[in-house]
Amino acid sequence: MTNILSPIEGVSYPPPERATASIANGSWIASTVGNALRATAKRCADRPAFISDERTLSFRELDETTERFAAAMLNLGLVTGDRAIFQLGTNIETAIVLLACFKAGIVPVCSLPQHREVEIGQLARQSGARGYFVQADFNSFDLIGFAAGMVEKHATLKHLVVVRGAPAGAPSMEALIEGMPLAAARERLSHLPLGSEDVLSFQLSGGTTGVPKIIPRFHAEYLGHSAGWMRRYRITAESRVIWSLPLLHNAGQLYALIPTATFGVTTVLMPKVDIRRMLELIEQHRVTHALSIGPIAPQLLAYTEIARHDLSSLQLFATMSRSDNLEQHLGLPCSNLYGITEGLLLGSPADAPAFARHHTQGASGCPQDEIRLLVAESEAPSAPGEMGEMCFRGPSSLTGFFDNPEANAKAFTSDGFYRTGDMMTAHVVDGLTCYTFEGRLRDNINRGGEKIGCEEVEGFISQHPAVADAKLIAMPDPFFGEKACAYVVPRPGMVVPDVKALGAFLTGLGLAKYKCPERVEVVDSYPLTRVGKVDKPALKKLIADQLAAEAAGSTS
């Protein structure tokens, strides 16, 4: 018997036998996130839940505030099972809105404040979202006005709520909370049809086409997934984590939000990456664990004043790569990690062998995860020691993209292993199989943790009147890991726009700014493979060699 009380059409739910087995073996936790937070608040009411430079929120305050806001949203007209677009930064208010939605059974569509007409329009249409949360003070861009315009364009969007300040007449989170008594809120929420196997959130896949694919995550499996990560990194209720990247990301919720709500971990939140301030906060709040999904580690390596900070509380710093260099720089244990929103996390604890920590992305924290390396574009296993496509199946693995049978038909092997498109090699370290990331099979760019689908951006660039054809490729960058470089074939007699002009053109079409190319190279034609396809690896080597030559020239 399943515990799905508010089913959503278009969601591929894990089969009942998988749910039953996952609960029995402990890889899922038979609760909702809301009930888990209520239990945590009873255990450690006065302990800090979230800390920021603006304020500290105890578990009692977190529980009570989210109760009131959850009930207020239901009174506003949202109902359990509704979806809501999110354009919020990393702050305590975002944590409140997310956890209140989890309590009410309102499903966050985990978009970003940097998204614009293209992305938000696609997500509104695909998800059928009725709610919309925006942050008034995220940056100088008028998110409130933008959101109001999107509400006018998309008939499903009915309820716009402004967070962290709102103009007169606009519904605000603060006003909704203020108008909802706690006792009335608890009574309102006590009757909700919400089960442990209901949908928790709609996360987004970093695909290659730019059309966002929606990944449903579920209460019980997300709780278990986060618990597995905590076990892998030796996180306990006494630990303290620091987080400065988007809280809406899968990583932000699994690493920073759910451990706090469910297990009593204290999380220090930063609205943006600021290395000096991060180190000061680690020292001030005795942070035990820090993570870098994106540009943090390279900026740390460039920071020359490490010695002035007391990092003695820090037990582990986990990063996507270069952990050996980071460990030498910081003078404390560091390890590489890997995570994919479709449901696999790899990592190594501080006491793992140096080879596992520094030369692999580690192993899964869930014993029930099954991992295979397959020859690309096949179902044949790669030879021992050879690189293969990482494919996995387990308690938290994707069951199916939301309402997308075409994508689902291509995403899995015939026996249900999800194809990541990431190439790995396997290494047995002290009897444990760990995996080393070698590159991507699919055509996308990872700019500091934000995925850019090359095919999508190429289509937009090609709309420029001076462009005959465009190819987008990843170029190496010391801080972001990768940035986008556009190789453009011009139309005869026309001048290709520079980076600034092309960026203005693309954002004018509604594309998010972070997806715009940060270098433009004009060519007459592209290198081709033996079968006549554009040779993108050759373009990547070309720009990497060019950047290296430019760097050498600037230092000579």
Side-chain angles (χ1 to χ4, degrees):
M1 181 178 179
T2 62
N3 195 18
I4 303 168
L5 303 184
S6 292
I8 297 173
E9 186 177 355
V11 170
S12 297
Y13 290 88
E17 58 272 18
R18 174 170 150 190
T20 300
S22 297
I23 293 293
N25 63 36
S27 56
W28 286 14
I29 295 175
S31 180
T32 64
V33 172
N35 284 337
L37 173 55
R38 293 174 183 116
T40 302
K42 289 180 180 178
R43 291 195 311 271
C44 42
D46 298 321
R47 180 189 296 173
F50 291 107
I51 299 172
S52 74
D53 277 338
E54 297 174 330
R55 60 172 168 151
T56 295
L57 201 67
S58 71
F59 280 98
R60 177 189 290 110
E61 292 169 325
L62 178 64
D63 182 48
E64 292 178 353
T65 304
T66 53
E67 294 280 287
R68 295 169 68 186
F69 189 44
M73 287 188 289
L74 296 172
N75 283 357
L76 188 65
L78 291 166
V79 300
T80 299
D82 274 348
R83 278 76 74 193
I85 300 288
F86 270 64
Q87 290 198 276
L88 305 176
T90 300
N91 49 62
I92 288 177
E93 288 79 11
T94 298
I96 289 171
V97 179
L98 280 167
L99 290 168
C101 282
F102 295 163
K103 283 184 170 181
I106 297 165
V107 178
V109 180
C110 295
S111 46
L112 296 172
Q114 294 89 346
H115 285 158
R116 295 297 178 259
E117 289 93 341
V118 171
E119 298 85 8
I120 298 300
Q122 290 172 338
L123 290 170
R125 287 189 295 271
Q126 283 184 252
S127 69
R130 296 184 69 242
Y132 198 159
F133 300 97
V134 296
Q135 181 174 325
D137 63 348
F138 180 75
N139 57 23
S140 59
F141 180 74
D142 181 13
L143 264 178
I144 301 174
F146 168 76
M150 297 305 290
V151 169
E152 289 182 4
K153 291 180 182 178
H154 297 278
T156 61
L157 292 172
K158 299 295 184 185
H159 302 286
L160 175 62
V161 178
V162 181
V163 179
R164 292 176 63 91
S172 72
M173 180 188 85
E174 294 81 3
L176 288 169
I177 292 171
E178 186 65 28
M180 173 56 65
L182 179 60
R186 293 201 190 281
E187 171 62 23
R188 180 80 172 81
L189 298 177
S190 66
H191 304 294
L192 283 187
L194 187 63
S196 62
E197 295 168 43
D198 276 311
V199 177
L200 175 77
S201 65
F202 274 1
Q203 285 288 346
L204 306 183
S205 174
T208 60
T209 64
V211 178
K213 297 191 291 291
I214 292 173
I215 301 168
R217 302 302 298 261
F218 308 92
H219 283 262
E221 68 91 1
Y222 219 54
L223 291 171
H225 202 34
S226 191
W229 162 77
M230 290 176 62
R231 287 191 300 270
R232 188 79 187 123
Y233 285 152
R234 316 288 194 256
I235 300 281
T236 71
E238 305 306 316
S239 302
R240 289 196 168 193
V241 173
I242 192 164
W243 190 259
S244 62
L245 297 168
L247 200 54
L248 272 298
H249 277 178
N250 181 63
Q253 293 183 36
L254 283 173
Y255 293 149
L257 187 74
I258 301 300
T260 296
T262 307
F263 304 103
V265 175
T266 296
T267 297
V268 180
L269 294 175
M270 298 179 64
K272 62 180 180 180
V273 177
D274 180 329
I275 296 301
R276 181 186 295 272
R277 186 61 187 144
M278 173 182 287
L279 297 174
E280 290 171 349
L281 290 170
I282 289 172
E283 182 175 357
Q284 178 183 346
H285 298 296
R286 308 301 293 163
V287 169
T288 62
H289 292 77
L291 300 120
S292 167
I293 314 294
I296 297 175
Q299 292 186 41
L300 268 172
L301 288 168
Y303 184 74
T304 59
E305 299 181 35
I306 293 294
R308 70 189 294 257
H309 301 280
D310 176 9
L311 304 181
S312 59
S313 65
L314 204 55
Q315 299 169 15
L316 178 69
F317 201 115
T319 177
M320 293 179 73
S321 61
R322 301 175 69 187
S323 63
D324 49 351
N325 294 339
L326 192 62
E327 181 167 313
Q328 185 176 13
H329 187 59
L330 296 179
L332 58 91
C334 297
S335 64
N336 294 332
L337 59 79
Y338 171 88
I340 186 168
T341 310
E342 286 82 354
L344 179 67
L345 299 176
L346 304 178
S348 295
D351 58 357
F355 183 86
R357 289 188 289 111
H358 298 159
H359 300 290
T360 81
Q361 270 57 45
S364 173
C366 177
Q368 288 75 32
D369 277 337
E370 301 174 77
I371 297 175
R372 292 178 181 170
L373 299 184
L374 301 180
V375 175
E377 310 295 343
S378 81
E379 295 196 10
S382 59
E386 294 292 321
M387 182 170 59
E389 182 185 4
M390 165 71 75
C391 301
F392 68 91
R393 180 177 67 184
S396 288
S397 59
L398 173 73
T399 310
F401 294 108
F402 173 67
D403 198 23
N404 198 334
E406 181 179 353
N408 291 336
K410 302 175 182 177
F412 301 91
T413 64
S414 58
D415 53 353
F417 280 69
Y418 179 74
R419 294 185 174 276
T420 67
D422 292 328
M423 302 301 287
M424 300 265 194
T425 52
H427 305 271
V428 178
V429 185
D430 285 358
L432 184 67
T433 302
C434 300
Y435 297 89
T436 300
F437 179 78
E438 304 288 357
R440 280 186 299 279
L441 183 64
R442 295 171 185 165
D443 193 14
N444 61 16
I445 295 165
N446 186 347
R447 185 189 187 276
E450 299 294 351
K451 303 299 193 302
I452 301 170
C454 293
E455 184 179 328
E456 175 197 29
V457 180
E458 289 165 357
F460 278 94
I461 296 173
S462 296
Q463 294 181 44
H464 193 283
V467 174
D469 196 11
K471 298 299 175 187
L472 199 74
I473 56 99
M475 61 180 177
D477 181 81
F479 284 127
F480 290 96
E482 295 177 344
K483 285 184 177 179
C485 173
Y487 276 89
V488 176
V489 176
R491 292 188 182 278
M494 302 195 76
V495 177
V496 170
D498 61 14
V499 168
K500 183 177 181 180
L502 182 58
F505 173 77
L506 296 174
T507 56
L509 293 177
L511 194 70
K513 185 177 180 181
Y514 74 85
K515 296 182 180 179
C516 296
E518 292 171 83
R519 183 165 178 139
V520 176
E521 295 288 330
V522 179
V523 294
D524 295 327
S525 61
Y526 302 119
L528 302 177
T529 66
R530 292 180 179 178
V531 295
K533 293 183 178 181
V534 174
D535 191 346
K536 281 200 167 182
L539 289 175
K540 290 180 181 180
K541 185 177 186 306
L542 184 64
I543 191 60
D545 291 346
Q546 191 170 336
L547 289 170
E550 291 171 2
S554 67
T555 58
S556 60

